[in-house]
């Protein structure tokens, strides 16, 4: 009996020892899991740097300014188009400098030449097949400098002695702000082959430059109201026909302003500009009636 009791106590001690060892092993295993942070696919702690997966490094890609073949002939054509854009920018800057020196009529003439070069670069880019996103951005920046800044400066110089200076400044600031909005909206909007959404900045600059160049015999407040109206026309949502659509108008319709220019160029200019500005709201109303 004494021997059997001793054996039972020894067996009990072995079982307790095994449980203690298994408990310590479980604790050790749990500690290792916490340290390495690899339980159930979750990261619970820092991972050793040498065990971390290497980060993916993206290779820098070179952006091409001229899409397509980079032949010498295409590069030359591309340079010619960008040269026209830079010439437009230089002419706009010259107009600003001349206006600051009081040479308002000459500044307006340079602004008209600036408008001509702006139309030339786009036509050449399409004709020579070197249109590119870079060229479009260059043209937009040059338009802002030439038409969003040069045109208001020339107009301000011309209105300096006919209206109060603060009023002239506000009107010219309005032209600059609306030109920036118009150009930004044009860059992000889908293109329509038939109509502009709002009057283009190029056309507004041309109207302002010609108005200064021919010297419209209108009171200062009327001129100021016209400047503000052109500014708001740029950011309007009215559809205005593009030049390609206007060229297809009947020949007799073009004959009317041509004859009118021989009789009274200033009055004809005002009537043509007014008719174009009114064409947008008229077409907008007609489109809404159809819908």
């Amino acid at each position: 009996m004494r021997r059997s009791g001793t054996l039972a106590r020894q067996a009990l001690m072995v079982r307790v020892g095994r449980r203690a060892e298994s408990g310590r092993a479980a604790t050790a295993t749990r500690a290792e899991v916490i340290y390495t942070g690899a339980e159930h696919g979750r990261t619970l702690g820092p991972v050793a740097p040498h065990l971390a997966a290497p980060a993916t490094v993206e290779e820098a890609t070179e952006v091409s300014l001229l899409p397509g073949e980079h032949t010498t002939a295409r590069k030359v054509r591309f340079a010619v188009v960008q040269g026209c854009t830079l010439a437009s920018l230089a002419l706009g800057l010259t107009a600003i400098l001349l206006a600051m020196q009081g040479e308002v009529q000459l500044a307006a003439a340079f602004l008209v030449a600036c408008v001509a070069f702006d139309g030339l670069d786009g036509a050449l880019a399409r004709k020579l097949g070197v249109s590119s996103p870079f060229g479009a951005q260059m043209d937009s920046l040059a338009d802002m400098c030439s038409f969003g800044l040069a045109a208001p400066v020339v107009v301000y110089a011309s209105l300096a002695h006919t209206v109060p200076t603060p009023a002239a400044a506000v009107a010219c600031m309005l032209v600059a702000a609306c030109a920036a909005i118009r150009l930004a909206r044009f860059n992000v909007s889908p293109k329509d082959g038939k109509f502009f959404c709002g009057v283009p900045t190029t056309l507004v600059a041309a109207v302002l430059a010609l108005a200064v160049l021919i010297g419209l015999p209108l009171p200062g407040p009327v001129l100021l109201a016209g400047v503000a109206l052109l500014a708001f026309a740029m950011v309007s949502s009215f559809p205005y026909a593009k030049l390609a659509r206007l060229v297809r108008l009947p020949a007799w319709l073009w004959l009317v302003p041509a004859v009118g220019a021989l009789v009274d160029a200033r009055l004809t200019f005002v009537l043509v500009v007014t008719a174009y500005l009114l064409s947008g709201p008229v077409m907008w109303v007609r489109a809404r009636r159809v819908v």
Side-chain angles (χ1 to χ4, degrees):
M1 290 293 293
R2 184 178 298 175
R3 182 176 179 81
S4 62
T6 302
L7 292 176
R9 284 194 299 273
Q10 290 178 351
L12 179 61
M13 292 174 61
V14 169
R15 285 196 296 272
V16 171
R18 286 178 180 174
R19 288 178 183 174
E21 289 178 4
S22 63
R24 286 194 298 271
T27 304
T29 303
R30 179 62 179 170
E32 291 175 1
V33 169
I34 293 175
Y35 178 76
T36 57
E39 184 182 13
H40 303 298
R42 295 185 290 114
T43 302
L44 300 177
V47 180
H50 65 280
L51 297 178
T56 304
V57 180
E58 296 183 0
E59 295 183 0
T61 56
E62 184 179 354
V63 178
S64 176
L65 302 182
L66 177 61
E69 268 187 296
H70 282 198
T71 60
T72 303
R74 291 194 79 240
K75 288 180 180 179
V76 170
R77 294 197 292 267
F78 181 73
V80 169
V81 172
Q82 303 313 314
C84 289
T85 304
L86 293 177
S88 174
L89 179 61
L91 289 169
L93 180 59
T94 305
I96 293 176
L97 297 176
L98 289 171
M100 291 172 60
Q101 295 175 0
E103 300 288 343
V104 181
Q105 296 286 325
L106 188 56
F110 270 85
L111 195 55
V112 172
C114 177
V115 171
F117 269 92
D118 178 71
L120 182 63
D121 66 352
L124 280 178
R126 292 186 293 270
K127 183 72 174 178
L128 300 178
V130 288
S131 299
S132 65
F134 172 79
Q137 295 301 320
M138 275 282 294
D139 185 69
S140 182
L141 291 172
D143 285 354
M144 183 59 209
C145 294
S146 298
F147 308 141
L149 296 178
V153 169
V154 173
V155 171
Y156 178 81
S158 68
L159 294 175
H161 304 293
T162 59
V163 297
T165 301
V170 170
C172 293
M173 290 177 188
L174 189 62
V175 172
C178 291
I181 295 171
R182 173 70 174 77
L183 290 169
R185 187 180 66 181
F186 178 80
N187 289 343
V188 300
S189 299
K191 303 302 181 286
D192 187 347
K194 296 180 180 180
F195 298 99
F196 290 114
C197 182
V199 180
T201 54
T202 308
L203 185 56
V204 169
V207 170
L208 293 175
L210 288 173
V212 174
L213 192 61
I214 64 179
L216 292 178
L218 297 173
V222 175
L223 293 174
L224 200 63
V227 172
L229 178 63
L230 287 170
F232 286 120
M234 280 191 286
V235 295
S236 70
S237 299
F238 297 134
Y240 287 95
K242 293 186 176 181
L243 181 61
R245 191 175 180 87
L246 293 175
V247 170
R248 293 196 294 268
L249 292 174
W252 65 267
L253 201 57
W254 283 102
L255 189 61
V256 173
V259 174
L262 297 176
V263 177
D264 191 334
R266 295 173 178 176
L267 179 60
T268 303
F269 173 77
V270 172
L271 292 177
V272 169
V273 171
T274 303
Y276 186 75
L277 291 177
L278 290 176
S279 68
V282 170
M283 286 190 290
W284 180 78
V285 171
R286 290 180 59 184
R288 288 180 64 88
R289 286 179 179 176
V290 171
V291 175

